[in-house]
Amino acid sequence: MRKTKRRMETLSFYDRTGVERHLEQLADMGWMIDRISNLGWVYRRIEPQKLQFSVTYYPKASDFDPGPSEDQQVYHAFSAYAGWKYVCSWVQMQIFCTNQPDPVPIETDPELELQTIHAAMVKGFLVPYGILLVIALVWSAMLVHDVLYDPIGLFSSTTNLFLMVVWPLLALLFIVEIVAYLRWRSRAKKAAACGEFIDTPNTRRFQRIVYCVCMLAFAVEMLYNVTAGSSMLRVTSIAMVLYVFVLMVVVQGVKQLLKRKKVSRKVNRAVTLTVDVVLAFGMMAAIVFGTLRATQNGWLDTKTAVEASPLTLEELWRNELPEADYHSDWTETAASPLVAVYDVRERGSTNGADVFIPSLDYTVTEVKLPALYGRCRAQLLEKEISLNWRQVSFSTKRIATPCDAAPWGANEAWQVAWENEIPSDDYLLCYDRNLVEISFSWTPTDEQKALVGEKLGDL
């Protein structure tokens, strides 16, 4: 039978009522809170018993303190005299328990309690949550921008899909937490003026839903990256998970070690932050340079190779294809459960012979979710690219001219060119599920157009 267990609790920092009731329930089941850190709440097994818990706040406390300050020790002694045993702390939160059936409350002045809670919240909750809320809103706005202007890039990336779930949910979580606290404080101030205490709001269920959805989104992303992604994506995904885990464990371990060594708050903070920064940059540099080196040496592929090109020059030209050494590169450049993008480049070489050698380029965007088809189509019709020429950067837009879709077997067909360029044999073809951008170095015949529709219209 295990003696300890670790849990990730979804209890708000200011929710003293929720924390007290939660710890009372666990004590009744035989588990006593032992310590709380960024890595979770640790409980130790005890004999099941009826205990009452009291949560108070000490705004001057820090997570880097080697132990209770002199003021806290006096406060703990006073609480012990009233029958309350000090259990542990979570930054500014202090937890006490007692087995007395009707103990004297530790906090007797509701106005003073409200002041200490608010001082602790400003330091350990409102400011960090406010900063995180701004970050989450900025990221959410960037994702909305991509929905409007780069839906293919957004929805073909499992990482972007994960962020689309996580950032708006986190923004909502931060808003709910801040608003819930401010509303409670407003009501608590009115109650305190009458000498009354009121319970803190409990958002535990909502937090649990948010975290479960985020973890599910992360699990889906990792599963897809590991099973269906390129070797580079697979390695970097696993490396980033290990990066976050190692960073959290090492930094937390250094902080706790220095606290056990009774190192001062300032020294602990300086050393811990230094280790955090150095380790974060060092591991990230190792991941970046390691994957780049592996890619350069051919150990990792940045794209997912596909067995065979769905359409080749040999199929288009048949017996009339000039003799040459042809090479086809058919890869999955980006893919997710919603959108996948495939690229093909086929070139030929004749070792310097002055013979026309055809070339073929095409990109197939497979839209797996019909609701996204219209936005992806619009993006390709309005496509814009950035170019650099003689250290001058400029952008150019795609000009699409409707043409006969029947020879292609498509729903729509467009001949495309870039601004200030003469239209050539470049086309955008719209099928039921696939959007095909194809470029020929010759003018295709109707027979070749029909073959394009047959091969690329429905991969």
Side-chain angles (χ1 to χ4, degrees):
M1 183 180 294
R2 58 177 179 169
K3 300 292 183 64
T4 63
K5 68 176 179 178
R6 186 185 299 270
R7 290 172 39 148
M8 298 300 295
E9 304 292 3
T10 54
L11 288 161
S12 301
F13 184 67
Y14 66 90
D15 184 14
R16 55 167 172 71
T17 307
V19 173
E20 291 168 358
R21 292 174 180 170
H22 171 69
L23 296 180
E24 289 168 4
Q25 292 172 359
L26 283 180
D28 193 37
M29 294 186 292
W31 292 101
M32 168 65 76
I33 185 66
D34 184 66
R35 62 187 183 276
I36 304 174
S37 71
N38 295 333
L39 299 179
W41 296 41
V42 179
Y43 302 87
R44 55 183 172 82
R45 186 174 290 280
I46 60 171
E47 288 295 325
Q49 53 188 295
K50 297 290 183 181
L51 296 176
Q52 292 191 51
F53 285 81
S54 179
V55 173
T56 65
Y57 295 85
Y58 183 68
K60 295 181 181 179
S62 168
D63 199 26
F64 298 97
D65 288 336
S69 65
E70 292 185 8
D71 290 343
Q72 286 178 285
Q73 292 177 23
V74 172
Y75 185 79
H76 296 170
F78 172 78
S79 300
Y81 180 77
W84 292 94
K85 178 184 177 182
Y86 171 73
V87 179
C88 66
S89 296
W90 180 22
V91 195
Q92 292 91 14
M93 178 191 290
Q94 303 176 106
I95 300 175
F96 300 84
C97 75
T98 181
N99 57 5
Q100 298 180 9
D102 190 19
V104 177
I106 295 179
E107 296 287 354
T108 57
D109 186 344
E111 291 187 343
L112 180 60
E113 183 200 45
L114 188 59
Q115 291 175 7
T116 57
I117 289 179
H118 188 63
M121 300 316 298
V122 170
K123 181 178 180 180
F125 173 78
L126 291 178
V127 172
Y129 263 43
I131 294 173
L132 291 173
L133 175 59
V134 172
I135 295 174
L137 290 175
V138 169
W139 268 99
S140 299
M142 293 170 60
L143 292 169
V144 170
H145 175 274
D146 286 345
V147 170
L148 298 175
Y149 299 102
D150 186 21
I152 295 176
L154 179 66
F155 293 111
S156 64
S157 166
T158 54
T159 300
N160 286 338
L161 292 180
F162 169 69
L163 296 178
M164 282 185 67
V165 174
V166 170
W167 283 119
L169 278 179
L170 290 181
L172 180 60
L173 174 64
F174 300 144
I175 291 172
V176 167
E177 286 291 281
I178 293 173
V179 170
Y181 170 71
L182 294 178
R183 288 185 62 188
W184 170 81
R185 182 168 182 266
S186 177
R187 291 186 291 108
K189 288 172 68 175
K190 296 177 182 178
C194 301
E196 299 176 354
F197 294 90
I198 64 171
D199 290 347
T200 51
N202 191 312
T203 60
R204 185 180 184 185
R205 180 173 298 178
F206 174 73
Q207 291 188 57
R208 185 174 296 173
I209 292 173
V210 170
Y211 292 138
C212 287
V213 172
C214 290
M215 291 303 296
L216 178 61
F218 175 73
V220 171
E221 180 201 8
M222 286 297 300
L223 180 64
Y224 194 90
N225 289 348
V226 171
T227 58
S230 64
S231 58
M232 181 176 180
L233 182 60
R234 185 162 52 248
V235 169
T236 53
S237 297
I238 296 174
M240 290 305 298
V241 172
L242 294 176
Y243 165 82
V244 173
F245 177 77
V246 170
L247 187 62
M248 291 178 59
V249 171
V250 171
V251 170
Q252 186 67 26
V254 169
K255 180 172 64 177
Q256 295 300 327
L257 175 63
L258 295 178
K259 290 174 70 171
R260 290 195 295 270
K261 296 292 185 180
K262 302 300 179 181
V263 176
S264 68
R265 175 195 298 189
K266 291 183 178 180
V267 173
N268 191 333
R269 180 187 290 113
V271 172
T272 301
L273 292 179
T274 300
V275 171
D276 190 359
V277 172
V278 172
L279 185 61
F281 277 96
M283 289 196 300
M284 184 57 69
I287 292 174
V288 172
F289 288 111
T291 52
L292 286 177
R293 183 67 180 272
T295 303
Q296 292 171 352
N297 291 337
W299 301 332
L300 295 177
D301 294 321
T302 58
K303 299 177 181 179
T304 303
V306 183
E307 292 183 359
S309 302
L311 177 66
T312 64
L313 287 170
E314 184 177 2
E315 292 174 308
L316 288 169
W317 284 72
R318 297 184 179 178
N319 297 330
E320 298 179 5
L321 182 67
E323 291 188 9
D325 182 16
Y326 291 96
H327 173 72
S328 178
D329 182 20
W330 165 236
T331 56
E332 180 184 81
T333 56
S336 79
L338 303 183
V339 176
V341 181
Y342 306 93
D343 278 332
V344 170
R345 290 173 56 88
E346 187 170 6
R347 297 287 186 273
S349 173
T350 59
N351 297 323
D354 188 14
V355 179
F356 170 75
I357 302 298
S359 62
L360 179 66
D361 295 277
Y362 56 89
T363 298
V364 180
T365 301
E366 181 184 6
V367 184
K368 305 174 185 178
L369 183 64
L372 302 177
Y373 185 90
R375 284 301 314 151
C376 295
R377 169 187 171 278
Q379 178 185 352
L380 295 181
L381 283 174
E382 303 164 3
K383 192 172 183 179
E384 183 174 346
I385 59 174
S386 298
L387 301 172
N388 291 294
W389 185 71
R390 295 185 178 180
Q391 298 182 342
V392 176
S393 299
F394 61 95
S395 60
T396 180
K397 293 184 178 180
R398 170 175 279 174
I399 305 298
T401 304
C403 61
D404 188 7
W408 305 96
N411 300 325
E412 294 178 291
W414 308 77
Q415 187 172 16
V416 296
W418 299 109
E419 287 180 315
N420 302 320
E421 289 187 2
I422 299 174
S424 56
D425 292 295
D426 300 335
Y427 300 90
L428 171 62
L429 311 173
C430 303
Y431 296 92
D432 291 339
R433 181 182 171 104
N434 295 341
L435 298 167
V436 178
E437 301 170 88
I438 190 164
S439 177
F440 303 91
S441 62
W442 76 96
T443 300
T445 64
D446 286 347
E447 184 181 359
Q448 291 173 331
K449 292 178 180 179
L451 187 60
V452 170
E454 178 185 337
K455 295 289 186 176
L456 305 183
D458 186 17
L459 293 179

